[in-house]
Amino acid sequence: NAGVTQTPKFRVLKTGQSMTLLCAQDMNHEYMYWYRQDPGMGLRLIHYSVGEGTTAKGEVPDGYNVSRLKKQNFLLGLESAAPSQTSVYFCASSYSPGGSSYEQYFGPGTRLTVT
Amino acid sequence: SQKIEQNSEALNIQEGKTATLTCNYTNYSPAYLQWYRQDPGRGPVFLLLIRENEKEKRKERLKVTFDTTLKQSLFHITASQPADSATYLCALGGYQKVTFGTGTKLQVIP
C-alpha cells in the first residue's frame, strides 16, 4: 500500500496564479483532510471531507476550495494565490467503514511558495 | 475559544532517561486524544490514541495518560534514545476532525 500520496512535492507560484494540489489514499478511508503548517502555528485544518461528494470548512478555509469526487482523492485548489498562502500543506485520511479507529495517516507534504 | 497548549520550548534530556511531554487544553471536551511524532520535512505519524474513559495507555516504551478533570495529557517515553528526537504533537477531537497542538520538540542527548 502506498498510503497517502501528495502531488506535487514542491511548487513556486506567482501572486495571482492558480493551482491544484492532489491527495490520494489507498486505504479505503472515509475521511480526508487538508492542513497547512506554518512555523509557530502548528497544523491548521483548511477543509475536510467525511465522504465522497461531501466537504466542509475547517479553521482557515478562506482562499481555498476543495472537491472529493472520488473516495480515494481529495483536491485542494488555490484560485488566486497570495504570499500568505506560502506554507507546507499536508493531506491526511482516517476511518475505515466498520472500524472504530480514528487515527490520521498523513502524506509527505507539499511545500508551496508564493512570490 | 478552544485552546490546546504544549510546551513550545524544546525539551532536552539525557539518553536513557524518561521524557515527559505535556498537553493541556481548555474549553474542550474531547472524545479522545492522540499523540503524533513529526520529523523534519515529513508528515506527522500516529503513535497512540486514548479515549475519554481511559486513564492510561501503553505501547512499548510509550505511555499516555489522560485526565479529563485536569484537562491534561502526559506523554512519556521511557529509556529514551537519540532516535526519539523529534517534535511530538497532541491532537484532540471528536470522531470526524481533530485539533492539533503546536508540538514540543524533544532532543535526546547521547
Side-chain angles (χ1 to χ4, degrees):
Chain A
N1 288 352
V4 179
T5 58
Q6 292 183 230
T7 309
K9 288 186 168 47
F10 302 94
R11 185 73 186 267
V12 178
L13 286 179
K14 294 187 186 304
T15 298
Q17 287 184 321
S18 63
M19 78 164 294
T20 300
L21 283 69
L22 170 64
C23 176
Q25 53 94 5
D26 61 3
M27 295 172 282
N28 197 34
H29 283 165
E30 292 291 330
Y31 304 160
M32 296 187 75
Y33 310 85
W34 276 108
Y35 295 92
R36 60 178 289 174
Q37 188 173 39
D38 304 289
M41 300 293 290
L43 281 163
R44 291 183 291 169
L45 183 63
I46 304 171
H47 286 280
Y48 65 104
S49 168
V50 298
E52 183 178 319
T54 70
T55 63
K57 293 180 180 179
E59 180 186 354
V60 288
D62 293 343
Y64 305 95
N65 56 75
V66 289
S67 65
R68 183 114 180 256
L69 298 179
K70 292 183 179 181
K71 185 176 183 178
Q72 62 268 34
N73 295 337
F74 196 28
L75 304 179
L76 177 70
L78 285 73
E79 289 188 349
S80 179
S84 61
Q85 294 177 305
T86 293
S87 187
V88 180
Y89 292 85
F90 288 103
C91 176
S93 69
S94 72
Y95 187 62
S96 297
S100 60
S101 185
Y102 297 93
E103 64 261 30
Q104 297 193 8
Y105 293 80
F106 282 81
T110 295
R111 188 172 295 274
L112 175 66
T113 301
V114 182
T115 61
Chain B
S1 62
Q2 298 170 349
K3 194 172 181 182
I4 301 171
E5 289 184 347
Q6 292 187 258
N7 194 341
S8 58
E9 294 182 12
L11 177 64
N12 296 322
I13 65 162
Q14 209 69 34
E15 182 177 4
K17 300 292 186 184
T18 296
T20 298
L21 284 68
T22 304
C23 177
N24 295 301
Y25 60 94
T26 56
N27 296 324
Y28 211 162
S29 297
Y32 57 84
L33 185 148
Q34 303 178 41
W35 283 89
Y36 290 78
R37 168 185 174 139
Q38 187 173 23
D39 292 287
R42 294 180 176 270
V45 174
F46 171 77
L47 295 174
L48 279 169
L49 179 150
I50 185 166
R51 300 182 188 277
E52 59 181 336
N53 60 349
E54 297 176 316
K55 296 290 186 188
E56 182 179 300
K57 205 81 168 279
R58 291 176 185 259
K59 180 182 176 182
E60 298 173 353
R61 294 185 295 112
L62 309 180
K63 184 179 85 170
V64 172
T65 63
F66 192 11
D67 189 326
T68 55
T69 301
L70 290 179
K71 295 187 182 296
Q72 181 182 78
S73 174
L74 299 178
F75 177 79
H76 307 273
I77 305 175
T78 59
S80 59
Q81 304 165 1
D84 295 326
S85 299
T87 296
Y88 292 86
L89 310 172
C90 73
L92 282 72
Y95 296 98
Q96 292 183 348
K97 60 176 180 171
V98 299
T99 301
F100 283 85
T102 53
T104 297
K105 186 174 182 179
L106 173 67
Q107 187 75 34
V108 181
I109 303 164

